Amino acid sequence: MTEKTVTPKLFDNQQIRTVWNDEEEDWYFSIVDVVGALTDQQTQRNASTYWAVVKKRLAAEGNELLTNCKQLKMKAADGKQRLTDVANTEQLLRIIQSIPSKKAEPFKLWLARVGKEHIDETIDPELAIDRALETYLKKGYSEDWIHQRLLSIRIRNSLTEEWDRHGVEKGVEYAILTDEISKAWSGMTTKEYKTFKDLKKENLRDNMTDLELVLNMLAEASTTQISQKEQPETFGQNKQIAKRRGKIAGDARKNLKAKQVFRSSPLKTLP
């Protein structure tokens, strides 16, 4: 596992130590720092004591979260690297729910609101589309780009539904096939592509240009179409289809590159 220490983030004028995990593509936060910030502890020792009490209470409640918490070396106040309890975003939000503090209350209200939104979207999926449109507009994306992005989501869902029908397992196998498509048309795996665009947790497709989105959609839509026609029975056959259909978009990209189309993009795009 490769970790990279990043600049500490401010949380209500207090520093929260964070670590980026390259392999998992996830942030980890110092639990003691967050607990100290939320409960106004004057020293790290006091924050550690408070966290020990919360941890004991969570364990007594049978919370399985603690079994998955990691310990990573972080720079302590004395300048030395010391092991400290860390949590990813999901784990941290669960811990915050167990902290009785005025500063924690906004997080709890936000979690309640997000939970309600997800329930509403389950009942009426159109709400998710409306919310996505609103979010993209607030982030400054053009309406044309947003329509392309929403179309790319529909095409991706059609592809994953096709994979499901042929026994492709979510998680690792999805990731392998996605990488095969990405390599075939862009020359890079998803992780390499994100590194190229200087991304971490950000969604790769949200940082694609119109042309990149179109090429990716071409690769995924043609993969779906051929899968429906050939009816692959093994993971290896699915993999071959992903490679072949991704190459169609790759050839299109090379033709566009020859015509210098990509150079007009304001975003960092493929070489």
Side-chain angles (χ1 to χ4, degrees), residues 117-242:
E117 288 174 354
H118 280 292
I119 292 173
D120 291 342
E121 289 167 5
T122 300
I123 298 171
D124 183 3
E126 188 174 337
L127 292 174
I129 299 173
D130 293 340
R131 192 165 286 120
L133 179 61
E134 181 182 357
T135 300
Y136 282 126
L137 285 171
K138 286 180 178 178
K139 288 185 174 183
Y141 291 98
S142 70
E143 289 193 11
D144 287 342
W145 183 93
I146 293 170
H147 289 308
Q148 291 273 55
R149 182 68 180 95
L150 295 178
L151 177 59
S152 76
I153 292 172
R154 183 168 66 81
I155 289 175
R156 174 65 180 182
N157 288 340
S158 295
L159 176 58
T160 56
E161 288 172 5
E162 179 65 16
W163 283 344
D164 284 342
R165 281 194 289 270
H166 294 287
V168 177
E169 295 183 5
K170 294 180 180 179
V172 175
E173 290 190 348
Y174 268 35
I176 291 172
L177 294 183
T178 301
D179 275 347
E180 290 296 338
I181 293 173
S182 180
K183 283 189 295 184
W185 82 260
S186 72
M188 293 179 280
T189 64
T190 302
K191 187 174 182 179
E192 290 169 344
Y193 206 161
K194 291 185 72 172
T195 299
F196 173 75
K197 284 183 173 282
D198 299 321
L199 305 175
K200 285 186 169 61
K201 287 293 286 184
E202 302 93 332
N203 187 291
L204 174 59
R205 299 172 199 226
D206 284 353
N207 289 273
M208 287 183 176
T209 63
D210 287 341
L211 279 174
E212 288 173 309
L213 280 174
V214 168
L215 290 170
N216 193 67
M217 285 190 285
L218 172 61
E220 293 193 333
S222 59
T223 299
T224 302
Q225 186 179 49
I226 294 302
S227 178
Q228 291 170 342
K229 180 180 178 181
E230 297 186 3
Q231 297 295 310
E233 296 181 357
T234 67
F235 178 72
Q237 290 172 341
N238 278 289
K239 191 173 180 180
Q240 286 301 315
I241 291 174

Side-chain angles (χ1 to χ4, degrees), residues 3-68:
E3 292 110 24
K4 181 174 74 173
T5 303
V6 300
T7 303
K9 299 181 183 297
L10 293 178
F11 186 93
D12 194 20
N13 297 321
Q14 296 191 42
Q15 290 186 332
I16 306 297
R17 290 168 294 168
T18 59
V19 169
W20 172 254
N21 186 300
D22 289 317
E23 292 184 3
E24 297 179 10
E25 296 188 349
D26 208 354
W27 287 105
Y28 281 92
F29 304 84
S30 166
I31 299 174
V32 169
D33 291 355
V34 173
V35 168
L38 290 175
T39 59
D40 293 320
Q41 301 299 321
Q42 298 302 309
T43 66
Q44 194 170 69
R45 179 181 292 275
N46 289 346
S48 296
T49 301
Y50 193 101
W51 164 231
V53 173
V54 174
K55 185 192 296 188
K56 185 176 180 180
R57 185 168 68 244
L58 286 169
E61 293 172 356
N63 192 298
E64 297 181 0
L65 174 86
L66 295 175
T67 62
N68 298 320

Side-chain angles (χ1 to χ4, degrees), residues 209 211 256 259-267 269:
T209 63
L211 279 174
L256 290 169
K259 296 177 181 178
Q260 300 184 338
V261 173
F262 278 97
R263 292 189 181 182
S264 63
S265 170
L267 297 178
T269 188

